[in-house]
Amino acid sequence: MVSVVVLFFILFTVFIFYSINSMTNKLCVQKEIPDERQQKVFRTINILILILLVSSYVEVLYT
């Protein structure tokens, strides 16, 4: 049972990161954010998404 949940979350995480990074890239292009700041924007968003995904995984695992 746990392995199915882990597999689901890994696939879900890949999809979420791809989607969010795609939207972040479009935002950076649309708002004309300089290249120097883009790296910081991507890093911040990815860290926040990672925290969200880890917390949801822990909640599902222990509920």
Side-chain angles (χ1 to χ4, degrees):
M1 178 66 182
V2 174
S3 63
V4 173
V5 173
V6 171
L7 180 64
F8 173 76
F9 261 87
I10 290 172
L11 293 173
F12 181 70
T13 302
V14 169
F15 173 73
I16 292 297
F17 270 112
Y18 177 78
S19 300
I20 296 296
N21 281 328
S22 175
M23 289 188 283
T24 304
N25 188 36
K26 290 178 184 177
L27 174 74
C28 288
V29 169
Q30 182 181 10
K31 297 295 180 182
E32 298 175 357
I33 297 174
D35 289 338
E36 303 85 39
R37 296 218 38 228
Q38 282 186 19
Q39 187 176 18
K40 186 176 180 182
V41 170
F42 273 95
R43 185 179 315 122
T44 302
I45 290 174
N46 284 337
I47 289 172
L48 292 172
I49 294 299
L50 181 64
I51 291 169
L52 177 69
L53 289 169
V54 167
S55 66
S56 66
Y57 175 74
V58 169
E59 183 178 350
V60 167
L61 190 63
Y62 292 111
T63 304

